[in-house]
Amino acid sequence: MEEVGFKSNAHLEAKANTSIPGDHPPRSLPERLDGLTALRAIAASAVVLLHFHVTTFRSLGLGRYIPFVSHYYLGVDLFFILSGFILAHVHGRDFARLTPSNTAQFYILRLARIYPAHVTVLMMYVCLFLLLKFSPYDGIGLRAPADHYTASALIAHLLLVSPGVTSWNSPAWSVSAEWSAYLWFPLLAFALRRASPRFCVIALVGIVGGFADIYFQYFNSTMDHLGLLRVSFEFPAGYLIYRASYRTSLSRVISVLAPVVGLGLLLLATDFAEFGFVLLIGAIVAITGHRSTVRRHWHVPHLLIWLGEISYSVYIIHALVMATAGRAAEGLLPRLSLPLQLALVPVLFMVVVVCAAMLHRIVEKPARDWMRTGLFQSARAVRDRFRAMALYTRSL
């Protein structure tokens, strides 16, 4: 697939981490995790390049020019692990107590984060589908037939209950998978609120072992399916990586990760290379997001941070760009020399980035802020109404 995705930089998430008005004052902002923001940019770019490889530019054989491009759907796995890690950093302390108020607050923040851009792109697909319904094109999107775009699939996407559905906006399946992880995150954070780093390491070993058993038995040496199962392991793994590593000394973290990295590198030469990549991804997230790494203030290029901040829009809109501008590029390829054909790859990627930047600026960010304000006000109104009813009942 993701993305994911996928999920925002910690300091941007924290700005919205205010309570439902009238509950209690907001807590201090967590530290910025610019390195992880850069990883999000890399993950989104990898997924885009994968889809370029299998659709628009498949005749070029991009695998000859971009190493391992056929495995770049692992960017989704990076998104899932990053999501668990970042939410532990931003929201992990919110669930010292599990109450309807803080749970509803978390769900409002997460829904406002992923839903506006998701729905906007789906509606664009609906418009495109209606426009092309009687055209000579064989469907839209990633070359699915027209009857793949059903009303039931659209409703499933709108309700975020389609983790295995790749119709309409094909990357959107991961939005539903991610939402499923959000639903049980409060319970995870509450259950492990007092867990020690050592316990989290043990739990992480158990999750990795369980995932390995399922992968070796059922995944047939590829991670490119069973997205709900992947997020069910990788999201809590990201959470546990944060809890086990963030406040532990970096030298100790590296000593624990050394055999994990070694095992991951050994697996790269086997039929289970993709599982080895996932182990390496977990190690990279642990090191990049570690408190010591963050406080060293290593310079991360501003362009990479910016691309990471719009990475969700990049991820959610790139298939639509490929269904429109990508079709034009595909028709142009046979008329061009090989150097010009290869030059079209970064050109189309830039078109994706420009469209994503517009989606982020016009829809994602303002709609996210509007939804947060509106939903928090509605939550406060409902809460006050119930309080008033309780007071009235007691007065009878």
Side-chain angles (χ1 to χ4, degrees):
M1 155 211 134
E2 139 61 152
E3 129 55 178
V4 174
F6 68 177
K7 318 355 172 227
S8 70
N9 189 10
H11 77 285
L12 296 178
E13 291 285 353
K15 289 180 180 178
N17 192 25
T18 55
S19 58
I20 294 175
D23 281 354
H24 50 74
R27 59 177 172 80
S28 59
L29 302 183
E31 293 175 290
R32 292 170 55 106
L33 302 179
D34 286 343
L36 298 189
T37 304
L39 287 182
R40 290 177 56 232
I42 293 171
S45 300
V47 175
V48 174
L49 290 175
L50 167 73
H51 288 159
F52 280 5
H53 169 61
V54 299
T55 55
T56 305
F57 298 104
R58 66 192 180 284
S59 62
L60 287 179
L62 288 182
R64 292 177 292 178
Y65 310 100
I66 305 175
F68 310 112
V69 68
S70 60
H71 300 281
Y72 281 7
Y73 52 77
L74 292 172
V76 177
D77 301 273
L78 174 54
F79 273 132
F80 288 157
I81 294 172
L82 277 174
S83 184
F85 190 100
I86 292 175
L87 288 189
H89 182 67
V90 178
H91 294 290
R93 292 179 294 165
D94 294 349
F95 299 101
R97 293 185 304 118
L98 190 63
T99 67
S101 176
N102 60 16
T103 303
Q105 173 183 320
F106 173 77
Y107 290 153
I108 288 171
L109 290 173
R110 301 319 302 166
L111 187 66
R113 175 68 183 91
I114 64 174
Y115 204 65
H118 167 63
V119 171
T120 298
V121 175
L122 277 179
M123 293 303 101
M124 290 179 180
Y125 260 100
V126 171
C127 293
L128 181 61
F129 176 76
L130 295 175
L131 181 65
L132 299 179
K133 185 174 182 180
F134 301 104
S135 76
Y137 285 110
D138 182 23
I140 59 175
L142 298 181
R143 294 200 171 275
D147 60 5
H148 198 53
Y149 297 88
T150 62
S152 60
L154 179 63
I155 292 172
H157 277 303
L158 292 173
L159 296 178
L160 299 177
V161 291
S162 56
V165 178
T166 57
S167 59
W168 294 101
N169 186 24
S170 58
W173 69 265
S174 65
V175 180
S176 294
E178 188 78 13
W179 178 249
S180 71
Y182 295 160
L183 290 178
W184 47 265
F185 174 81
L187 184 60
L188 174 69
F190 175 73
L192 296 178
R193 67 195 185 280
R194 296 177 181 172
S196 65
R198 177 174 297 180
F199 178 87
C200 290
V201 170
I202 295 172
L204 184 59
V205 170
I207 284 181
V208 172
F211 192 25
D213 180 60
I214 292 175
Y215 172 81
F216 294 145
Q217 290 192 54
Y218 304 111
F219 273 42
N220 195 26
S221 301
T222 179
M223 302 282 283
D224 193 21
H225 52 80
L226 299 177
L228 188 59
L229 189 60
R230 285 154 67 192
V231 76
S232 297
F233 281 98
E234 291 167 349
F235 180 88
Y239 174 88
L240 289 169
I241 289 171
Y242 175 86
R243 291 290 307 276
S245 66
Y246 186 74
R247 299 187 184 280
T248 306
S249 69
L250 184 59
S251 58
R252 187 169 184 179
V253 170
I254 292 175
S255 67
V256 172
L257 288 177
V260 176
V261 172
L263 175 60
L265 292 174
L266 287 175
L267 289 175
L268 296 184
T270 70
D271 291 337
F272 308 112
E274 292 188 354
F275 188 81
F277 271 117
V278 172
L279 293 179
L280 296 176
I281 286 171
I284 290 170
V285 170
I287 297 298
T288 306
H290 190 271
R291 180 172 56 175
S292 296
T293 306
V294 172
R295 291 181 177 177
R296 289 177 190 272
H297 301 292
W298 288 355
H299 177 69
V300 180
H302 293 298
L303 180 61
L304 201 57
I305 294 176
W306 175 77
L307 186 59
E309 289 174 348
I310 68 167
S311 60
Y312 178 62
S313 289
V314 169
Y315 178 79
I316 207 69
I317 204 172
H318 78 273
L320 181 61
V321 174
M322 292 168 60
T324 51
R327 285 291 180 90
E330 189 175 351
L332 189 61
L333 283 175
R335 308 175 189 177
L336 301 176
S337 63
L338 180 59
L340 289 178
Q341 289 178 351
L342 292 174
L344 271 182
V345 178
V347 169
L348 187 59
F349 184 84
M350 289 305 301
V351 173
V352 170
V353 171
V354 170
C355 292
M358 294 173 62
L359 180 68
H360 177 78
R361 184 177 182 85
I362 298 173
V363 175
E364 182 185 350
K365 191 175 185 304
R368 179 179 66 202
D369 296 341
W370 177 83
M371 279 187 66
R372 284 167 173 166
T373 302
L375 291 175
F376 277 137
Q377 290 176 346
S378 298
R380 181 180 183 180
V382 170
R383 182 202 61 190
D384 292 344
R385 189 174 295 114
F386 274 103
R387 286 180 177 177
M389 290 173 60
L391 291 173
Y392 176 75
T393 302
R394 291 174 187 173
S395 66
L396 293 179

